[in-house]
Every structure is written in structure tokens, then in C-alpha cells.
């Protein structure tokens, strides 16, 4: 009853019971996993899990176990010993989460739980993920969350063997990333005077200023915290659209000289986008320089979605730029812009990532770009056939800001489709009708937690759970069956979510019920 469903697992007789004398044997590259095991189990169990060369819980890295890949692991639990093995330290981190889930659910509590026998059932597990990108986007631009909460969110990802936290750091409604030399980005761009409290265009607002920004030290700490749990933090800086918070801070980055904009208080797509003059590209490179300093991730996301091109059509500077670059028209500046910034990231040894939504921009980009099709899988197919890697983000299956049921009891969500648990679980990252040469470019999939309507951690967790469990299950093991594997597992998993204090939509609540 593990989520995600292990690729091979069999029960064997007996159980292993922990006691205060139980010790852990881990050397070299296995040590970080032993530390994580201790850190995760201590609050609820109080078990010291001392380090000892004769420990009965053995964690070992053996590079000869190449068949397990970088994230797979083997776990054997017998009456006298627990043996966790992997080809890498990362594989062991995944196995640690399995050990956690095999214990009584109370083991996940953050507070001491006395009087529980801490035991593992006898099992033999060999578990290897099918997809290497199993991610979640968290939008901290629309509603800021402190790093303290991001750490909890990372822990929740790691529990489900999700391995990428895509941090959406900037948007029209807020800029959260500190950049040396550009203090106004967070001082001005990090604050909005009020927020729309209905859907886009509703005209309903609160009168509460909303503000927040991270420090570089906080973000570095977050990266270290996530790394210790096998989670990569991929930053996203939006360009050339969704940039209004930056334009509020530095109006000269826009297309209309002398215009003063405020950090946007509406939801939707703003017509105000970055200009395409040299100063803007230099600015974006400076911002990304600061981003690369803080985030060691191989992948860096530069947005690229929903970029209205009307301002460029009107701008003499943009028209001159398009002509000088030999482009067919100003609309092509969208791909041109992303291409120039992508070159910068590639020269810095990173892989640029952008959204693909049929604007044509992604098609203008070289194969070194990784794209995230969100509107239509066909945009991903075109990219894959052109040699780009693809992370699938289809909105009807991975947008957690869409309601998970259509009852009046659900919180306000984006207008559009209901994304229920089954829809998430049904989403095989590789569409069934793709030819093998395209399928080979699919790195995996990720969920999107846009936060226009999610203000608090409790709001976020209600949207995320249990749907993230379904996404994690599919991305790790597409063979997991909805009825026989996932449903029974997620039923039992509710006790774990309860122990963690995660607010979630109860499974037995009918699709259309009131709360
Ligand atoms: C589209 S998907 C957006 C976001 C919104 C989201 C709401 C994408 C790359 N852009 O800016 O938050 O829809 O569902």
C-alpha cells in the first residue's frame, strides 16, 4: 500500500520491529540517506537509530546495481534485518520514503506518538521509476509562501517520490526573487496593493496589500533542504510576458516610454510585456545570473507562455528590432527573445525550459530547449519530433487549480474543466498515440499549482491532495492500476496525510456533494 506503487513488491514472512537499540549501518555515499531516515523518524518515534558498523538496518550504495538507475532501490525486510540498497545515494533517499510508508502511519507525525509498536512488514521490493521528471509547480508569485512552508511542501513531495519543485517566482502580480543591483524588483515588484478575490474580470477585490520576497540565503537553504531529500528546485523567471511586476519596478523595461504601471491586481493575461531592446536582454541576463548563483539546478525555466504581442506591433523600437533580426514580423520576437536568453543559459551550462502553448515560439527554439506543453499534447508532439525534450503538463489532468469536483462545496477554482482524482491518475505521461521517437523525448510530467485562489498552506494542500498522490503514482509507475492498486493504497494513505496534518479532499466525498 505504498504510493507511488512499487514496480515489484512481495510480502515475505515475518516483521522487523524497531527498538531503542536498533542501529543503522551506512558508509560513504549512504550516509546522507541514514541521516534523512533518522531526521524523518525521530519526531514521532523518538528512536535514536544510532550509527553502528553492526547495525541491523543496512543502507548501502553499490554502483554495480546499475539496473536500478539513478533513483531505483531494492529493499528487503526480514525479522532480523532491513537491507536497503541502490546504485546511488539518491536511490536510497527514495527507499527511505518507502520505509516510512511501511511503518504505522503515526510514524509520519511531527509530534511524539507514545505506545505504538514501530514495525515493518516482511517485504522484498525492487522499485525503479519509469520517468525521471516527476514534478510540481508551486506559484509563489500570485500568493507568496514563506520558506518555512516551502520546506514542508518539499517534504510532502519527497514522501511521494516526486523529485522536482518548480518554483514560479515571478509574474504580473508579484516578484519574489532577490536580484543584486535591482532592489526595486522585490521592494516595488514584491508588493501589490490589493488582490482580485473572484475570477479574472470579476471586479471583486479585497483591500489587503499582499507582499513577500525571499532572501538569497533563504533560497540557498531551501535548495540544501530539498537536495537532502532528493528534490531539485527549478526556478522560473517569466519572460517576455507575465512580467508586469518587473515593469512596475523598472518601467524602462517596457514598450511604452514614460508609462507607470502598478503591480497587477487582476488575474488573467496582461498586455504589458517586456520590450525587446538591448537593456531588457541585459536585465534578464543579470536576473538569471543571480538565479544561477542561488539555484544549482540543471534546468532553468524562463516562462514564455501567454505573451500578447500587440505592444511590439505598436512599438517603433520593436519593429526595428524585428527587421534587424530578419524576422517575418514583430510576433516572431517572442521566440527570438527566448532564443537569446536560452543561449545565455546554455553558455552557462544550464538547460533552458519554456512553456509551449501553440504560440509558435517553442518551434523557433533549438533542440537544447526543454518544453512544457500545457494546452494541448499536440504542442508537445511537435516539440518532441523536432528533438526537444518534453515535460508533459496537460491542463485537464495536471492543473491543480482546477476544482477537483463540481459541487458547490469546493473552493473557488479556475473556470474550465474539473480535474478529478481519476483524471489525474489516467494521465500517462506518454500519450498512447505518440510514435516511439517522440515518446523517447518525454522526461516525465508535473502538476501545476497556480495560486490565484489559493492563499494559505491549507488552501494549497486541499488542492494538492490527494491529486498529487495520483500524479506521483502514474509518473513513477504507469502500470499501476486505478482500481486494484491506486484506490486501495490512497484510502490507506489518508491515515498518513492525517498524521502529517495535511488538509485534503476526503476520498469518499461524492463528486458533487456540498462540504
Ligand atoms: C495559465 S499555464 C497560466 C498561468 C495561470 C493558469 C491558471 C501557464 C503557463 N500560464 O499564468 O495561473 O493558466 O490556470
Amino acid at each position: 500500500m505504498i504510493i507511488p506503487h512499487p514496480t515489484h513488491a512481495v510480502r515475505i514472512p515475518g516483521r522487523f520491529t524497531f527498538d531503542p537499540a536498533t542501529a543503522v549501518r551506512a558508509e560513504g555515499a549512504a550516509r546522507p540517506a541514514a541521516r534523512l531516515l533518522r531526521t524523518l523518524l525521530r519526531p514521532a518515534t523518538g528512536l535514536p537509530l544510532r550509527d553502528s558498523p553492526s547495525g541491523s538496518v543496512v543502507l548501502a550504495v553499490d554502483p554495480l546495481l546499475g539496473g536500478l538507475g539513478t533513483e531505483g532501490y531494492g529493499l528487503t525486510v526480514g525479522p532480523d534485518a532491513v537491507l536497503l540498497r541502490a546504485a546511488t545515494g539518491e536511490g536510497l533517499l527514495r527507499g527511505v520514503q518507502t520505509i516510512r510508508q511501511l511503518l504505522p502511519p503515526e510514524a509520519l507525525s511531527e509530534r511524539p506518538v507514545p505506545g505504538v509498536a514501530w514495525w515493518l512488514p516482511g517485504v522484498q521490493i525492487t522499485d525503479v521509476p519509469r520517468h525521471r521528471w516527476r514534478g510540481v509547480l508551486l506559484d509563489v508569485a500570485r500568493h507568496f509562501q514563506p520558506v518555512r512552508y516551502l520546506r514542508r511542501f518539499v517534504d510532502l513531495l519527497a514522501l511521494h517520490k516526486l523529485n522536482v519543485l518548480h518554483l514560479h517566482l515571478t509574474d504580473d502580480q508579484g516578484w519574489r526573487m532577490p536580484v543584486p543591483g535591482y532592489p526595486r524588483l522585490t521592494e516595488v515588484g514584491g508588493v501589490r496593493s490589493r488582490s482580485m478575490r473572484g475570477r479574472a474580470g470579476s471586479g471583486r477585490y479585497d483591500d489587503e496589500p499582499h507582499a513577500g520576497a525571499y532572501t538569497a540565503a533563504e533560497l540557498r537553504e531551501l535548495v540544501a533542504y530539498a537536495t537532502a531529500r532528493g528534490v531539485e528546485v527549478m526556478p522560473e523567471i517569466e519572460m517576455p510576458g507575465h512580467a508586469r511586476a518587473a515593469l512596475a519596478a523598472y518601467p524602462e523595461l517596457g514598450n511604452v516610454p514614460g508609462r507607470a504601471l502598478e503591480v497587477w491586481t487582476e488575474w488573467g493575461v496582461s498586455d504589458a510585456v517586456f520590450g525587446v531592446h538591448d537593456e531588457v536582454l541585459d536585465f534578464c541576463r543579470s536576473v538569471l545570473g543571480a538565479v544561477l548563483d542561488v539555484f544549482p539546478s540543471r534546468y532553468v525555466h524562463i516562462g514564455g507562455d501567454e505573451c500578447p504581442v500587440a505592444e511590439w506591433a505598436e512599438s517603433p523600437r520593436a519593429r526595428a528590432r524585428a527587421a534587424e533580426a530578419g524576422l517575418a514580423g514583430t510576433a516572431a520576437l517572442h521566440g527570438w527573445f527566448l532564443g537569446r536568453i536560452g543561449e545565455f543559459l546554455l553558455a552557462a551550462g544550464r538547460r533552458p525550459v519554456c512553456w509551449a502553448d501553440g504560440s509558435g515560439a517553442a518551434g523557433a527554439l533549438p533542440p537544447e530547449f526543454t518544453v512544457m506543453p500545457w494546452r494541448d499534447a499536440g504542442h508537445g508532439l511537435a516539440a518532441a519530433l523536432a528533438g526537444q525534450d518534453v515535460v508533459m503538463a496537460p491542463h485537464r489532468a495536471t492543473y491543480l487549480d482546477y476544482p477537483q469536483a463540481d459541487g458547490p462545496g469546493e473552493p473557488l477554482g479556475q473556470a474550465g474543466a474539473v480535474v478529478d482524482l481519476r483524471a489525474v491518475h489516467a494521465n500517462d505521461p506518454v500519450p498512447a498515440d505518440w510514435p516511439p521517437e517522440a515518446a523517447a523525448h518525454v522526461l516525465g510530467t508535473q502538476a501545476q499549482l497556480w495560486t490565484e485562489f489559493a492563499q494559505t498552506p491549507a488552501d494549497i494542500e486541499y488542492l494538492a491532495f490527494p491529486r498529487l498522490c495520483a500524479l506521483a503514482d502514474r509518473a513513477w509507475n504507469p502500470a499501476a492500476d486505478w482500481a486494484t492498486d491506486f484506490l486501495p493504497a490512497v484510502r490507506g494513505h489518508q491515515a498518513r496525510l492525517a498524521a502529517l496534518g495535511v488538509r485534503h479532499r476526503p476520498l469518499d466525498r461524492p463528486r458533487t456533494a456540498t462540504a
Side-chain angles (χ1 to χ4, degrees):
M1 293 305 171
I2 304 294
I3 291 182
H5 191 63
T7 43
H8 297 283
V10 285
R11 277 298 306 264
I12 57 176
R15 58 168 66 175
F16 179 90
T17 304
F18 287 84
D19 63 41
T22 304
V24 177
R25 184 168 123 202
E27 272 144 34
R31 283 181 184 280
R35 265 200 297 277
L36 182 65
L37 184 68
R38 250 175 236 125
T39 304
L40 292 173
L41 296 191
R42 190 158 304 157
T45 69
L47 292 166
L49 295 170
R50 234 165 9 87
D51 190 32
S52 160
S54 60
S56 53
V57 177
V58 180
L59 274 54
V61 170
D62 181 352
L64 294 179
L65 300 168
L68 294 173
T70 48
E71 289 186 278
Y73 65 92
L75 174 67
T76 305
V77 176
D80 304 314
V82 174
L83 175 59
L84 175 61
R85 299 195 308 160
T88 68
E90 223 184 320
L92 292 181
L93 298 179
R94 308 292 172 236
V96 163
Q97 299 294 346
T98 297
I99 291 176
R100 247 181 127 198
Q101 291 199 22
L102 287 170
L103 285 163
E106 296 84 355
L108 278 73
S109 169
E110 281 154 25
R111 275 174 293 278
V113 188
V116 176
W118 304 112
W119 59 275
L120 299 169
V123 282
Q124 204 141 39
I125 296 178
T126 305
D127 198 11
V128 181
R130 167 70 181 81
H131 294 291
R132 68 175 163 99
W133 191 301
R134 305 177 307 279
V136 185
L137 171 148
L138 182 63
D139 171 6
V140 292
R142 272 58 176 269
H143 282 102
F144 177 76
Q145 297 300 335
V147 161
R148 173 171 22 93
Y149 181 68
L150 299 186
R151 284 196 292 267
R152 172 176 164 96
F153 198 69
V154 163
D155 272 314
L156 292 174
L157 264 57
L159 172 66
H160 297 89
K161 302 188 177 77
L162 295 164
N163 64 357
V164 179
L165 171 60
H166 172 171
L167 259 194
H168 186 77
L169 286 161
T170 71
D171 214 302
D172 296 313
Q173 299 85 357
W175 184 288
R176 315 295 174 206
M177 175 74 203
V179 181
Y182 293 92
R184 288 174 58 83
L185 283 174
T186 49
E187 286 167 18
V188 175
V191 186
R192 70 172 178 266
S193 57
R194 58 180 187 169
S195 303
M196 183 159 270
R197 286 291 166 238
R199 288 191 175 142
S202 65
R204 286 198 285 122
Y205 302 90
D206 63 15
D207 285 318
E208 304 279 319
H210 180 85
Y214 302 109
T215 67
E218 281 180 320
L219 293 172
R220 286 202 179 93
E221 235 178 81
L222 176 68
V223 168
Y225 188 90
T227 304
R229 284 149 184 79
V231 175
E232 175 159 289
V233 184
M234 177 183 67
E236 177 183 1
I237 303 294
E238 275 271 19
M239 59 188 80
H242 285 282
R244 194 153 159 164
L247 297 179
Y250 296 102
E252 63 273 23
L253 299 172
N255 291 293
V256 183
R259 176 182 58 182
L261 290 171
E262 53 163 14
V263 177
W264 215 25
T265 57
E266 325 249 320
W267 310 132
V269 178
S270 170
D271 281 336
V273 304
F274 278 134
V276 289
H277 39 297
D278 288 338
E279 290 77 2
V280 178
L281 292 162
D282 288 341
F283 164 82
C284 289
R285 289 186 275 254
S286 300
V287 168
L288 288 171
V291 166
L292 301 190
D293 257 7
V294 168
F295 295 98
S297 63
R298 180 157 181 243
Y299 293 90
V300 175
H301 203 301
I302 55 174
D305 57 311
E306 298 177 326
C307 179
V309 293
E311 285 192 354
W312 295 333
E314 296 297 312
S315 155
R317 251 192 322 198
R319 284 203 297 267
R321 176 61 101 187
E324 161 206 311
L327 302 175
T330 46
L333 287 164
H334 184 183
W336 174 87
F337 191 114
L338 295 172
R340 301 292 75 71
I341 298 299
E343 283 166 3
F344 170 80
L345 290 174
L346 288 167
R350 308 293 184 101
R351 304 287 308 245
V353 185
C354 70
W355 299 105
D357 48 20
S359 69
L365 299 170
E368 291 83 5
F369 264 80
T370 297
V371 307
M372 293 188 174
W374 62 276
R375 226 173 231 152
D376 186 332
H379 302 144
L381 179 57
L385 291 174
Q388 292 165 336
D389 284 341
V390 174
V391 175
M392 298 301 285
H395 65 127
R396 286 170 182 281
T398 68
Y399 270 38
L400 304 185
D401 58 329
Y402 291 14
Q404 46 202 324
D406 40 23
E410 292 302 308
L412 177 67
Q414 284 294 350
V418 165
V419 174
D420 65 11
L421 191 59
R422 185 147 200 177
V424 180
H425 199 264
N427 172 46
D428 193 319
V430 180
D433 55 350
W434 283 23
E437 66 274 24
H441 279 289
V442 176
L443 300 182
T445 186
Q446 67 172 39
Q448 275 54 242
L449 235 162
W450 303 107
T451 58
E452 285 94 334
F453 309 120
Q455 298 178 58
T456 66
D459 295 342
I460 288 173
E461 289 177 9
Y462 183 83
L463 293 176
F465 294 100
R467 289 184 293 184
L468 263 190
C469 307
L471 183 118
D473 205 47
R474 259 307 202 217
W476 182 276
N477 182 1
D481 181 72
W482 163 258
T484 58
D485 300 322
F486 181 69
L487 268 188
V490 76
R491 282 219 172 85
H493 197 65
Q494 291 185 104
R496 298 184 193 121
L497 296 177
L500 285 161
V502 171
R503 184 169 166 247
H504 66 280
R505 185 169 201 277
L507 280 166
D508 48 14
R509 186 179 289 168
R511 206 182 128 124
T512 55
T514 51

